[in-house]
Amino acid sequence: FDSYGIIRDIMQNHLMQVLTLVAMEAPASLQAEDVRDEKVKVLKQIRPIDSKDCVVGQYDGYQDDPDIQRLNQQKGYESRCPTFAVVVLYLDN
C-alpha cells in the first residue's frame, strides 16, 4: 500500500467505478460495450478538480505499523504515503 497509497488504490479504481455505475444513464443494453460507453460519458462530465476541493492526509498510527517502520528505515525517511483522501467532484450531467 505504501508504494501507491489511497488515491491510486481506492479512489482511482474502486470509487470511480462506483461513481460511474451510480451516475450513468441506463445503457442501451447490458452488453459490456454499452455499459462502458455510459460510464465513459460520466467520466467526461466530471469538471476539472480544484485543489481547494481536496484533502489528503495520513491516519494516526500508520507510522507505528512494523512493516512501515521497516520501509522507513530502508528509505531513510518517514513515509509520506496518503492513507486518507477527500475530493469533491462536480458532474455536469
Coordinates of all heavy atoms in Angstrom, one line a residue:
F1 N 0.8 -1.2 0.0 CA 0.0 0.0 0.0 C 0.9 1.3 0.0 O 0.5 2.2 -0.6 CB -0.9 0.0 1.2 CG -1.9 1.1 1.3 CD1 -3.1 1.0 0.6 CD2 -1.6 2.2 2.0 CE1 -4.0 2.1 0.7 CE2 -2.5 3.3 2.1 CZ -3.7 3.2 1.4
D2 N 2.0 1.2 0.7 CA 2.8 2.4 0.8 C 3.4 2.9 -0.5 O 3.6 4.1 -0.7 CB 4.0 2.1 1.8 CG 4.6 3.4 2.3 OD1 4.0 4.1 3.1 OD2 5.7 3.7 1.8
S3 N 3.5 2.0 -1.5 CA 4.0 2.4 -2.8 C 3.0 3.1 -3.7 O 3.4 3.7 -4.7 CB 4.7 1.3 -3.5 OG 3.7 0.3 -3.8
Y4 N 1.7 3.0 -3.4 CA 0.7 3.6 -4.3 C -0.3 4.4 -3.5 O -0.9 5.3 -4.1 CB 0.0 2.5 -5.1 CG -0.4 1.3 -4.4 CD1 -1.6 1.2 -3.7 CD2 0.4 0.2 -4.3 CE1 -2.0 0.1 -3.0 CE2 0.0 -1.0 -3.7 CZ -1.2 -1.0 -3.0 OH -1.6 -2.1 -2.3
G5 N -0.6 4.1 -2.3 CA -1.5 5.0 -1.5 C -3.0 4.9 -1.8 O -3.4 4.1 -2.7
I6 N -3.7 5.6 -1.0 CA -5.2 5.6 -1.1 C -5.8 6.1 -2.4 O -6.8 5.6 -2.9 CB -5.8 6.4 0.1 CG1 -7.3 6.0 0.3 CG2 -5.6 7.9 0.0 CD1 -7.5 4.7 0.9
I7 N -5.1 7.1 -3.0 CA -5.7 7.7 -4.2 C -5.6 6.7 -5.3 O -6.6 6.5 -6.0 CB -4.9 9.0 -4.5 CG1 -5.2 10.0 -3.4 CG2 -5.4 9.5 -5.9 CD1 -4.3 11.3 -3.5
R8 N -4.5 6.1 -5.6 CA -4.4 5.1 -6.7 C -5.1 3.8 -6.4 O -5.6 3.2 -7.3 CB -2.9 4.9 -7.0 CG -2.3 6.1 -7.7 CD -0.9 5.9 -8.1 NE -0.6 4.7 -8.9 CZ 0.6 4.1 -9.0 NH1 1.6 4.7 -8.4 NH2 0.7 3.1 -9.7
D9 N -5.1 3.4 -5.1 CA -5.7 2.1 -4.8 C -7.3 2.2 -4.7 O -7.9 1.5 -5.5 CB -5.2 1.6 -3.4 CG -5.8 0.3 -3.0 OD1 -6.1 -0.5 -3.9 OD2 -6.0 0.1 -1.8
I10 N -7.8 3.1 -3.9 CA -9.2 3.1 -3.7 C -9.9 4.2 -4.6 O -10.9 3.8 -5.3 CB -9.5 3.5 -2.2 CG1 -8.9 2.4 -1.3 CG2 -11.0 3.6 -2.0 CD1 -9.4 1.0 -1.5
M11 N -9.4 5.4 -4.7 CA -10.2 6.4 -5.4 C -10.1 6.2 -6.9 O -11.2 6.2 -7.6 CB -9.6 7.8 -5.1 CG -9.8 8.2 -3.6 SD -9.3 9.8 -3.3 CE -10.8 10.7 -3.3
Q12 N -8.9 6.0 -7.4 CA -8.8 5.9 -8.9 C -9.5 4.6 -9.4 O -10.0 4.6 -10.5 CB -7.3 5.9 -9.2 CG -7.0 5.7 -10.7 CD -5.5 5.7 -11.0 OE1 -4.8 6.6 -10.5 NE2 -5.1 4.8 -11.8
N13 N -9.5 3.6 -8.7 CA -10.0 2.3 -9.2 C -11.4 2.1 -8.7 O -12.4 2.1 -9.4 CB -9.1 1.1 -8.8 CG -7.7 1.3 -9.4 OD1 -7.6 1.6 -10.5 ND2 -6.7 0.9 -8.6
H14 N -11.6 1.8 -7.4 CA -12.9 1.4 -6.9 C -13.9 2.5 -6.9 O -15.1 2.3 -7.3 CB -12.7 0.8 -5.5 CG -11.6 -0.3 -5.4 ND1 -11.8 -1.5 -6.1 CD2 -10.4 -0.3 -4.8 CE1 -10.7 -2.2 -5.9 NE2 -9.9 -1.5 -5.1
L15 N -13.6 3.6 -6.3 CA -14.6 4.7 -6.2 C -15.1 5.3 -7.5 O -16.2 5.6 -7.7 CB -14.1 5.8 -5.2 CG -14.0 5.4 -3.8 CD1 -13.5 6.5 -2.9 CD2 -15.3 4.9 -3.2
M16 N -14.2 5.3 -8.4 CA -14.6 5.8 -9.8 C -15.5 4.8 -10.5 O -16.4 5.2 -11.2 CB -13.3 6.1 -10.6 CG -12.5 7.3 -10.1 SD -13.4 8.8 -9.9 CE -13.5 9.4 -11.6
Q17 N -15.3 3.5 -10.2 CA -16.2 2.5 -10.8 C -17.6 2.7 -10.2 O -18.6 2.7 -10.9 CB -15.7 1.1 -10.5 CG -14.5 0.7 -11.3 CD -14.9 0.6 -12.8 OE1 -16.0 0.2 -13.1 NE2 -14.0 0.9 -13.7
V18 N -17.7 2.9 -8.9 CA -19.0 3.1 -8.2 C -19.6 4.4 -8.7 O -20.8 4.4 -9.0 CB -18.8 3.1 -6.7 CG1 -20.1 3.5 -6.0 CG2 -18.3 1.7 -6.2
L19 N -18.9 5.4 -8.8 CA -19.4 6.7 -9.2 C -20.0 6.6 -10.6 O -21.1 7.0 -10.8 CB -18.3 7.8 -9.3 CG -18.7 9.1 -10.0 CD1 -19.7 9.8 -9.1 CD2 -17.5 9.9 -10.2
T20 N -19.3 5.9 -11.5 CA -19.8 5.8 -12.9 C -21.1 4.9 -12.9 O -22.0 5.2 -13.7 CB -18.8 5.3 -13.9 OG1 -18.3 4.0 -13.4 CG2 -17.6 6.3 -14.0
L21 N -21.1 3.9 -12.2 CA -22.3 3.0 -12.1 C -23.5 3.7 -11.6 O -24.6 3.6 -12.1 CB -22.0 1.7 -11.3 CG -21.1 0.7 -12.0 CD1 -20.7 -0.4 -11.1 CD2 -21.8 0.1 -13.2
V22 N -23.3 4.5 -10.5 CA -24.4 5.2 -9.9 C -24.9 6.4 -10.8 O -26.1 6.6 -10.9 CB -24.0 5.7 -8.5 CG1 -25.0 6.7 -7.9 CG2 -23.8 4.5 -7.6
A23 N -24.0 7.1 -11.4 CA -24.4 8.3 -12.1 C -24.7 8.1 -13.6 O -25.3 9.0 -14.2 CB -23.2 9.3 -12.1
M24 N -24.4 7.0 -14.2 CA -24.7 6.8 -15.6 C -26.1 6.6 -15.9 O -27.0 6.3 -15.1 CB -23.9 5.5 -16.1 CG -24.5 4.2 -15.7 SD -23.5 2.9 -16.4 CE -24.6 1.5 -16.1
E25 N -26.4 7.0 -17.2 CA -27.8 6.7 -17.7 C -27.9 5.3 -18.0 O -26.9 4.6 -18.1 CB -28.0 7.5 -19.0 CG -27.9 9.0 -18.8 CD -29.0 9.6 -18.0 OE1 -30.1 9.1 -18.1 OE2 -28.8 10.7 -17.4
A26 N -29.1 4.8 -18.1 CA -29.3 3.4 -18.4 C -28.7 3.1 -19.8 O -29.0 3.8 -20.8 CB -30.8 3.1 -18.4
P27 N -27.9 2.0 -19.9 CA -27.3 1.7 -21.2 C -28.3 1.1 -22.1 O -29.4 0.6 -21.7 CB -26.3 0.7 -20.8 CG -26.7 0.1 -19.5 CD -27.5 1.2 -18.8
A28 N -28.0 1.2 -23.4 CA -28.9 0.6 -24.5 C -29.2 -0.9 -24.2 O -30.2 -1.4 -24.5 CB -28.3 0.9 -25.8
S29 N -28.1 -1.6 -23.7 CA -28.3 -3.0 -23.4 C -27.3 -3.2 -22.2 O -26.5 -2.3 -21.8 CB -27.9 -3.9 -24.6 OG -26.5 -3.9 -24.8
L30 N -27.2 -4.5 -21.7 CA -26.3 -4.8 -20.7 C -25.0 -5.4 -21.3 O -24.2 -6.0 -20.6 CB -26.9 -5.8 -19.7 CG -28.0 -5.2 -18.9 CD1 -28.6 -6.2 -17.9 CD2 -27.6 -4.0 -18.1
Q31 N -24.8 -5.2 -22.6 CA -23.6 -5.6 -23.2 C -22.4 -4.8 -22.7 O -22.6 -3.6 -22.4 CB -23.6 -5.5 -24.7 CG -24.7 -6.4 -25.4 CD -24.3 -7.9 -25.2 OE1 -23.1 -8.2 -25.4 NE2 -25.3 -8.7 -24.9
A32 N -21.3 -5.3 -22.5 CA -20.1 -4.6 -21.9 C -19.8 -3.3 -22.6 O -19.6 -2.3 -21.9 CB -18.9 -5.5 -21.9
E33 N -19.9 -3.3 -23.9 CA -19.6 -2.0 -24.7 C -20.6 -0.9 -24.3 O -20.2 0.2 -24.2 CB -19.6 -2.3 -26.2 CG -18.5 -3.3 -26.6 CD -18.8 -4.7 -26.4 OE1 -20.1 -5.0 -26.2 OE2 -17.9 -5.6 -26.4
D34 N -21.9 -1.3 -24.2 CA -22.9 -0.3 -24.0 C -22.7 0.3 -22.5 O -22.9 1.5 -22.3 CB -24.3 -0.9 -24.1 CG -24.6 -1.1 -25.6 OD1 -24.0 -0.5 -26.5 OD2 -25.4 -2.0 -25.9
V35 N -22.5 -0.6 -21.6 CA -22.2 -0.1 -20.2 C -21.0 0.7 -20.1 O -21.0 1.8 -19.5 CB -22.1 -1.4 -19.2 CG1 -21.7 -0.9 -17.8 CG2 -23.4 -2.2 -19.2
R36 N -19.9 0.3 -20.8 CA -18.7 1.1 -20.8 C -18.9 2.5 -21.4 O -18.5 3.5 -20.9 CB -17.6 0.4 -21.7 CG -16.3 1.1 -21.7 CD -15.5 0.8 -22.9 NE -16.2 1.1 -24.1 CZ -16.2 0.3 -25.2 NH1 -15.5 -0.7 -25.3 NH2 -16.9 0.7 -26.3
D37 N -19.7 2.5 -22.5 CA -19.9 3.8 -23.2 C -20.6 4.8 -22.2 O -20.3 6.0 -22.2 CB -20.8 3.6 -24.4 CG -20.0 2.9 -25.5 OD1 -18.8 2.8 -25.4 OD2 -20.7 2.5 -26.5
E38 N -21.6 4.3 -21.5 CA -22.3 5.2 -20.5 C -21.4 5.6 -19.4 O -21.5 6.7 -18.9 CB -23.6 4.5 -20.0 CG -24.7 4.3 -21.0 CD -25.1 5.6 -21.6 OE1 -25.2 6.6 -20.9 OE2 -25.3 5.6 -22.8
K39 N -20.5 4.7 -18.9 CA -19.6 5.1 -17.8 C -18.6 6.1 -18.3 O -18.3 7.1 -17.6 CB -18.8 3.8 -17.4 CG -19.8 2.9 -16.6 CD -19.2 1.5 -16.4 CE -18.2 1.4 -15.3 NZ -17.7 0.0 -15.1
V40 N -18.2 6.0 -19.6 CA -17.2 7.0 -20.1 C -17.9 8.4 -20.2 O -17.3 9.4 -20.0 CB -16.7 6.5 -21.5 CG1 -16.0 7.6 -22.3 CG2 -15.8 5.3 -21.4
K41 N -19.2 8.4 -20.6 CA -19.9 9.7 -20.6 C -19.9 10.4 -19.3 O -19.7 11.6 -19.2 CB -21.4 9.4 -21.0 CG -21.5 9.1 -22.5 CD -23.0 8.9 -22.8 CE -23.2 8.3 -24.2 NZ -24.6 8.0 -24.5
V42 N -20.0 9.6 -18.2 CA -20.0 10.2 -16.8 C -18.6 10.7 -16.6 O -18.5 11.9 -16.1 CB -20.4 9.1 -15.8 CG1 -20.1 9.7 -14.4 CG2 -21.8 8.7 -15.9
L43 N -17.6 10.0 -16.9 CA -16.2 10.4 -16.6 C -15.9 11.7 -17.4 O -15.2 12.6 -16.9 CB -15.2 9.3 -17.0 CG -15.2 8.1 -16.2 CD1 -14.3 7.0 -16.7 CD2 -14.9 8.4 -14.7
K44 N -16.4 11.9 -18.6 CA -16.2 13.1 -19.4 C -16.9 14.3 -18.9 O -16.6 15.4 -19.2 CB -16.6 12.8 -20.9 CG -15.7 11.9 -21.6 CD -16.1 11.7 -23.0 CE -15.1 10.9 -23.8 NZ -15.4 10.7 -25.2
Q45 N -17.9 14.0 -18.0 CA -18.7 15.1 -17.4 C -18.2 15.6 -16.1 O -18.7 16.6 -15.5 CB -20.2 14.7 -17.3 CG -20.9 14.4 -18.6 CD -22.2 13.7 -18.5 OE1 -22.5 13.2 -17.4 NE2 -23.0 13.8 -19.5
I46 N -17.1 15.0 -15.6 CA -16.5 15.5 -14.4 C -15.7 16.8 -14.6 O -14.9 16.8 -15.5 CB -15.6 14.4 -13.8 CG1 -16.4 13.2 -13.4 CG2 -14.9 15.0 -12.5 CD1 -15.5 12.0 -12.9
R47 N -16.0 17.8 -13.9 CA -15.3 19.1 -14.0 C -13.8 18.9 -13.6 O -13.6 18.0 -12.7 CB -15.9 20.2 -13.2 CG -17.3 20.6 -13.6 CD -17.7 21.7 -12.7 NE -19.2 21.9 -12.9 CZ -19.9 22.7 -12.1 NH1 -19.3 23.4 -11.1 NH2 -21.2 22.9 -12.3
P48 N -12.9 19.7 -14.1 CA -11.5 19.6 -13.6 C -11.5 19.8 -12.0 O -12.3 20.6 -11.5 CB -10.8 20.8 -14.3 CG -11.6 21.0 -15.5 CD -13.1 20.7 -15.1
I49 N -10.6 19.1 -11.4 CA -10.6 19.1 -9.9 C -9.7 20.3 -9.5 O -8.6 20.5 -10.0 CB -10.0 17.8 -9.4 CG1 -10.9 16.6 -9.8 CG2 -9.8 17.9 -7.9 CD1 -10.3 15.3 -9.5
D50 N -10.3 21.1 -8.5 CA -9.6 22.2 -8.0 C -8.9 21.8 -6.6 O -9.6 21.0 -5.8 CB -10.6 23.3 -7.7 CG -9.9 24.6 -7.3 OD1 -8.9 24.6 -6.6 OD2 -10.4 25.7 -7.8
S51 N -7.7 22.2 -6.4 CA -7.0 21.8 -5.2 C -7.7 22.2 -3.9 O -7.6 21.5 -2.9 CB -5.6 22.3 -5.2 OG -5.6 23.7 -5.2
K52 N -8.5 23.2 -4.0 CA -9.3 23.6 -2.8 C -10.4 22.6 -2.4 O -10.9 22.6 -1.3 CB -9.8 25.0 -2.9 CG -11.0 25.2 -3.8 CD -11.5 26.6 -3.8 CE -12.5 27.0 -4.8 NZ -13.4 26.1 -5.4
D53 N -10.7 21.7 -3.3 CA -11.7 20.7 -3.1 C -11.1 19.4 -2.7 O -11.8 18.3 -2.7 CB -12.6 20.5 -4.3 CG -13.4 21.7 -4.7 OD1 -13.9 22.4 -3.7 OD2 -13.6 22.0 -5.9
C54 N -9.8 19.4 -2.3 CA -9.1 18.1 -2.0 C -8.5 18.2 -0.6 O -8.0 19.3 -0.2 CB -8.0 17.9 -3.0 SG -8.6 17.7 -4.7
V55 N -8.5 17.1 0.1 CA -7.8 17.0 1.4 C -7.1 15.6 1.4 O -7.7 14.6 1.0 CB -8.7 17.0 2.6 CG1 -8.0 16.8 3.9 CG2 -9.5 18.4 2.7
V56 N -5.8 15.6 1.6 CA -5.0 14.4 1.7 C -4.3 14.3 3.0 O -3.8 15.4 3.5 CB -4.0 14.3 0.5 CG1 -3.2 13.1 0.6 CG2 -4.8 14.4 -0.8
G57 N -4.3 13.2 3.6 CA -3.6 13.0 4.9 C -3.2 11.6 5.2 O -3.3 10.7 4.3
Q58 N -2.7 11.4 6.4 CA -2.2 10.1 6.8 C -2.8 9.9 8.2 O -2.7 10.7 9.1 CB -0.7 10.1 6.8 CG -0.1 8.7 7.0 CD 1.4 8.7 7.0 OE1 2.0 9.0 8.0 NE2 1.9 8.5 5.8
Y59 N -3.5 8.7 8.3 CA -4.1 8.3 9.6 C -3.0 8.2 10.7 O -1.9 7.7 10.5 CB -4.8 7.0 9.5 CG -6.2 7.1 8.8 CD1 -6.4 6.6 7.6 CD2 -7.2 7.8 9.4 CE1 -7.6 6.7 6.9 CE2 -8.4 7.9 8.8 CZ -8.6 7.3 7.6 OH -9.8 7.4 7.0
D60 N -3.4 8.6 11.9 CA -2.5 8.4 13.1 C -2.3 7.0 13.2 O -3.2 6.1 13.1 CB -3.2 9.0 14.3 CG -3.2 10.5 14.4 OD1 -2.4 11.1 13.7 OD2 -4.0 11.1 15.1
G61 N -1.1 6.6 13.6 CA -0.8 5.2 13.8 C -0.2 4.5 12.6 O 0.4 3.4 12.7
Y62 N -0.3 5.1 11.4 CA 0.2 4.4 10.2 C 1.7 4.2 10.4 O 2.3 3.2 10.0 CB -0.1 5.3 9.0 CG 0.4 4.7 7.7 CD1 -0.2 3.5 7.2 CD2 1.5 5.2 7.0 CE1 0.2 3.0 6.0 CE2 1.9 4.6 5.8 CZ 1.2 3.5 5.3 OH 1.6 3.0 4.1
Q63 N 2.4 5.2 10.9 CA 3.9 5.1 11.1 C 4.3 4.1 12.1 O 5.4 3.6 12.2 CB 4.5 6.5 11.5 CG 4.3 7.6 10.4 CD 5.0 7.3 9.2 OE1 6.1 6.7 9.1 NE2 4.5 7.9 8.1
D64 N 3.3 3.7 13.0 CA 3.6 2.7 14.0 C 3.6 1.2 13.5 O 4.0 0.3 14.2 CB 2.6 2.8 15.2 CG 2.6 4.2 15.8 OD1 3.7 4.8 15.8 OD2 1.6 4.6 16.3
D65 N 3.1 1.0 12.3 CA 3.0 -0.3 11.7 C 4.4 -0.9 11.5 O 5.3 -0.2 10.9 CB 2.2 -0.3 10.4 CG 2.1 -1.6 9.8 OD1 3.1 -2.2 9.3 OD2 0.9 -2.1 9.7
P66 N 4.7 -2.1 12.0 CA 6.1 -2.6 11.9 C 6.6 -2.7 10.4 O 7.7 -2.4 10.1 CB 6.0 -4.0 12.5 CG 4.8 -4.0 13.3 CD 3.8 -3.0 12.8
D67 N 5.7 -3.0 9.5 CA 6.1 -3.0 8.1 C 6.5 -1.6 7.6 O 7.4 -1.5 6.8 CB 5.0 -3.6 7.2 CG 4.8 -5.1 7.4 OD1 5.7 -5.8 7.8 OD2 3.6 -5.5 7.2
I68 N 5.7 -0.6 8.0 CA 6.0 0.8 7.6 C 7.3 1.2 8.2 O 8.1 1.9 7.6 CB 4.8 1.7 7.9 CG1 3.6 1.2 7.2 CG2 5.1 3.1 7.6 CD1 3.7 1.0 5.7
Q69 N 7.5 0.9 9.5 CA 8.7 1.3 10.2 C 9.9 0.6 9.4 O 11.0 1.3 9.3 CB 8.7 0.8 11.6 CG 7.7 1.6 12.5 CD 7.7 1.2 13.9 OE1 8.2 0.1 14.3 NE2 7.0 2.0 14.7
R70 N 9.8 -0.6 9.0 CA 10.9 -1.2 8.2 C 11.1 -0.5 6.9 O 12.3 -0.2 6.5 CB 10.5 -2.7 8.0 CG 11.6 -3.5 7.5 CD 11.4 -5.0 7.5 NE 10.0 -5.5 7.2 CZ 9.1 -5.8 8.2 NH1 9.5 -5.9 9.5 NH2 7.9 -6.2 7.9
L71 N 10.1 -0.1 6.2 CA 10.2 0.6 5.0 C 10.9 2.0 5.2 O 11.7 2.4 4.5 CB 8.9 0.9 4.3 CG 8.2 -0.3 3.5 CD1 6.8 0.0 3.1 CD2 9.1 -0.6 2.3
N72 N 10.5 2.6 6.3 CA 11.0 3.9 6.7 C 12.6 3.8 6.9 O 13.3 4.7 6.5 CB 10.4 4.5 7.9 CG 9.0 4.9 7.7 OD1 8.5 5.1 6.6 ND2 8.2 5.1 8.8
Q73 N 13.0 2.7 7.6 CA 14.4 2.5 7.8 C 15.1 2.3 6.5 O 16.2 2.8 6.3 CB 14.6 1.3 8.7 CG 14.8 1.7 10.1 CD 15.2 0.4 11.0 OE1 14.8 -0.7 10.6 NE2 15.9 0.7 12.0
Q74 N 14.5 1.5 5.6 CA 15.2 1.3 4.3 C 15.3 2.6 3.5 O 16.3 2.8 2.9 CB 14.4 0.3 3.5 CG 14.4 -1.1 4.0 CD 13.4 -2.0 3.3 OE1 12.7 -1.6 2.5 NE2 13.5 -3.3 3.7
K75 N 14.3 3.4 3.5 CA 14.3 4.7 2.7 C 15.1 5.8 3.4 O 15.6 6.6 2.7 CB 12.8 5.2 2.6 CG 12.0 4.3 1.7 CD 10.6 5.0 1.6 CE 9.6 4.1 1.0 NZ 8.2 4.8 1.0
G76 N 15.2 5.7 4.7 CA 15.9 6.8 5.5 C 15.0 8.0 5.8 O 15.5 9.0 6.3
Y77 N 13.7 7.9 5.6 CA 12.8 8.9 6.0 C 11.4 8.3 6.2 O 11.1 7.2 5.7 CB 12.7 10.0 4.9 CG 12.3 9.6 3.5 CD1 11.0 9.5 3.2 CD2 13.3 9.2 2.6 CE1 10.6 9.0 1.9 CE2 12.9 8.7 1.4 CZ 11.6 8.7 1.0 OH 11.2 8.2 -0.2
E78 N 10.5 9.1 6.9 CA 9.2 8.6 7.2 C 8.3 8.6 5.9 O 8.4 9.5 5.1 CB 8.5 9.4 8.3 CG 9.0 9.1 9.6 CD 8.1 9.7 10.7 OE1 7.2 10.5 10.4 OE2 8.3 9.3 11.9
S79 N 7.5 7.6 5.8 CA 6.5 7.5 4.7 C 5.6 8.7 4.6 O 5.2 9.2 5.6 CB 5.7 6.3 4.8 OG 4.6 6.3 3.9
R80 N 5.5 9.2 3.4 CA 4.5 10.3 3.2 C 3.3 9.8 2.4 O 2.6 10.6 1.8 CB 5.2 11.4 2.4 CG 6.4 12.1 3.2 CD 7.0 13.3 2.4 NE 7.8 12.8 1.3 CZ 9.1 12.5 1.3 NH1 9.7 12.6 2.4 NH2 9.7 12.2 0.2
C81 N 3.1 8.5 2.4 CA 2.0 7.9 1.7 C 0.7 8.4 2.2 O 0.4 8.3 3.4 CB 2.1 6.4 1.8 SG 0.8 5.5 1.1
P82 N -0.2 8.9 1.4 CA -1.5 9.3 1.9 C -2.4 8.0 2.2 O -2.5 7.1 1.4 CB -2.1 10.1 0.7 CG -1.4 9.6 -0.5 CD 0.0 9.2 0.0
T83 N -3.0 8.0 3.3 CA -3.9 6.9 3.7 C -5.3 7.4 3.9 O -6.2 6.7 4.2 CB -3.4 6.3 5.0 OG1 -3.4 7.3 6.1 CG2 -2.0 5.7 4.9
F84 N -5.5 8.7 3.6 CA -6.9 9.3 3.7 C -6.9 10.4 2.6 O -6.0 11.2 2.4 CB -7.1 10.0 5.1 CG -8.3 10.8 5.2 CD1 -9.5 10.1 5.5 CD2 -8.3 12.1 5.0 CE1 -10.7 10.8 5.6 CE2 -9.5 12.8 5.1 CZ -10.7 12.2 5.4
A85 N -8.0 10.4 1.9 CA -8.2 11.5 0.9 C -9.7 11.8 0.7 O -10.6 10.9 0.8 CB -7.6 11.1 -0.4
V86 N -10.0 13.1 0.5 CA -11.4 13.5 0.2 C -11.3 14.4 -1.0 O -10.4 15.3 -1.1 CB -12.0 14.3 1.4 CG1 -13.3 14.9 1.0 CG2 -12.1 13.5 2.6
V87 N -12.1 14.2 -2.0 CA -12.2 15.0 -3.2 C -13.6 15.3 -3.5 O -14.5 14.4 -3.5 CB -11.5 14.3 -4.4 CG1 -11.7 15.2 -5.6 CG2 -10.1 14.0 -4.1
V88 N -13.9 16.6 -3.7 CA -15.3 16.9 -4.1 C -15.3 17.0 -5.7 O -14.5 17.7 -6.3 CB -15.7 18.3 -3.6 CG1 -17.0 18.7 -4.1 CG2 -15.7 18.3 -2.1
L89 N -16.1 16.2 -6.3 CA -16.3 16.1 -7.7 C -17.6 16.8 -8.1 O -18.6 16.6 -7.5 CB -16.2 14.7 -8.2 CG -15.0 13.9 -8.0 CD1 -15.1 12.5 -8.5 CD2 -13.8 14.5 -8.6
Y90 N -17.5 17.5 -9.2 CA -18.8 18.1 -9.8 C -19.0 17.5 -11.2 O -18.1 17.4 -12.0 CB -18.6 19.6 -9.9 CG -18.5 20.3 -8.6 CD1 -17.2 20.6 -8.0 CD2 -19.6 20.6 -7.8 CE1 -17.1 21.2 -6.8 CE2 -19.5 21.2 -6.6 CZ -18.2 21.5 -6.1 OH -18.1 22.1 -4.9
L91 N -20.2 17.0 -11.4 CA -20.6 16.4 -12.6 C -21.6 17.3 -13.3 O -22.6 17.8 -12.7 CB -21.3 15.1 -12.4 CG -20.5 13.9 -11.9 CD1 -21.4 12.7 -11.6 CD2 -19.4 13.5 -12.8
D92 N -21.3 17.6 -14.6 CA -22.3 18.4 -15.4 C -23.1 17.4 -16.2 O -22.9 17.1 -17.3 CB -21.5 19.3 -16.3 CG -20.8 20.4 -15.5 OD1 -21.3 20.9 -14.6 OD2 -19.7 20.8 -16.0
N93 N -24.0 16.8 -15.5 CA -24.8 15.7 -16.0 C -26.3 16.1 -16.2 O -27.0 16.5 -15.4 CB -24.8 14.5 -15.1 CG -25.4 13.2 -15.7 OD1 -25.8 13.2 -16.8 ND2 -25.4 12.2 -14.9

